[in-house]
Amino acid sequence: MVHFDSADKKMLNKLVEWRQFCKENSIQQDMAFSHFKKLKNLLMISSVSLSTLAGILNILTLPSESEQDRPGGFNVLGFLATVSSLVSGSIIVIQNNMKYSEKSQVATQFSAEYGKLQRELGAELYLIQSGENVYKSVAEFFKRMSSRMADITGSAPPIPGSVMNKFKKQCNGLESSITFDDTIFQDVIDNKNNNLVDSSNIVVTGV
């Protein structure tokens, strides 16, 4: 059994929290990817369908030889063709402005980044408990992870509200209270915080 001092225990507990944080954010970003992809496909299918409809209506509005000399009235099919073309064009503009394709790519990228960080945290926590950790100390690993967590959380795109609501429902309506906070690092190193977590066992599962 590897024994840790109180400062190491607090850092280990925080690392376990960060691992869960990365897991949840990886899932959320993956759900955001699916959300943006569905919106992109919906707009694309709608635009193509309306363009096709407009083309068909335009063909149907072509006058036959017997109708060419007749006085023209209100052309319903021509009106519908024009409306379909306008709506199709508007959908294309919306799709370009919303950038759903780019957003889906960014979301899948950060889902992978969070997943990678989660696995690294889990593996290193397992090694630390086994006394075979790669880093010289818990503090060194904590400092490295703190920097990487700050980088990824600072650049990750926000999750749409509808996606967060869906995520909460999948978690039985419970919203995670885990958030990234790197301000703990200096307090732990300087031993300024007297309310240290006193747990001798750090259990990591699903590495």
Side-chain angles (χ1 to χ4, degrees):
M1 175 68 68
V2 180
H3 297 282
F4 305 101
D5 59 31
S6 56
D8 284 347
K9 291 174 186 176
K10 186 168 185 180
M11 284 186 285
L12 286 170
N13 280 330
K14 181 57 68 173
L15 288 168
V16 172
E17 288 186 12
W18 287 354
R19 178 177 177 272
Q20 180 63 21
F21 174 85
C22 288
K23 179 180 179 180
E24 293 179 3
N25 276 267
S26 178
I27 295 172
Q28 291 168 11
Q29 291 291 348
D30 187 61
M31 293 174 67
F33 161 75
S34 299
H35 172 74
F36 292 131
K37 185 178 179 180
K38 287 178 180 178
L39 289 176
K40 181 192 70 174
N41 291 339
L42 177 62
L43 291 176
M44 182 177 65
I45 292 172
S46 299
S47 177
V48 171
S49 299
L50 287 170
S51 295
T52 303
L53 177 61
I56 294 173
L57 291 173
N58 280 323
I59 293 174
L60 293 176
T61 57
L62 293 176
S64 62
E65 293 182 0
S66 59
E67 294 175 335
Q68 287 180 357
D69 297 331
R70 296 179 182 177
F74 179 72
N75 193 327
V76 177
L77 294 180
F79 173 76
L80 293 176
T82 302
V83 171
S84 298
S85 296
L86 289 174
V87 175
S88 176
S90 299
I91 291 175
I92 293 175
V93 172
I94 292 173
Q95 184 177 6
N96 292 335
N97 289 338
M98 296 305 294
K99 299 181 179 179
Y100 288 132
S101 180
E102 291 87 345
K103 288 180 179 179
S104 63
Q105 292 177 2
V106 173
T108 192
Q109 173 189 343
F110 275 92
S111 176
E113 289 294 327
Y114 274 118
K116 179 181 178 181
L117 197 55
Q118 173 206 341
R119 292 189 295 272
E120 185 173 342
L121 280 163
E124 186 62 27
L125 284 167
Y126 176 80
L127 291 174
I128 289 174
Q129 292 182 95
S130 304
E132 302 175 355
N133 49 304
V134 177
Y135 296 86
K136 294 180 181 179
S137 64
V138 175
E140 181 185 351
F141 178 63
F142 187 93
K143 185 176 183 179
R144 174 177 170 79
M145 288 297 103
S146 176
S147 176
R148 292 182 60 187
M149 287 284 289
D151 289 340
I152 191 172
T153 55
S155 55
I159 304 296
S162 58
V163 174
M164 285 301 302
N165 291 334
K166 185 178 180 180
F167 175 79
K168 292 174 187 177
K169 289 180 180 178
Q170 291 185 357
C171 296
N172 299 321
L174 298 177
E175 183 177 4
S176 174
S177 60
I178 298 175
T179 57
F180 172 69
D181 179 15
D182 62 348
T183 58
I184 186 178
F185 177 72
Q186 195 60 45
D187 288 339
V188 173
I189 299 303
D190 295 340
N191 289 320
K192 292 180 179 179
N193 193 335
N194 295 322
N195 298 319
L196 298 175
V197 177
D198 188 19
S199 59
S200 58
N201 297 319
I202 307 294
V203 179
V204 180
T205 60
V207 175

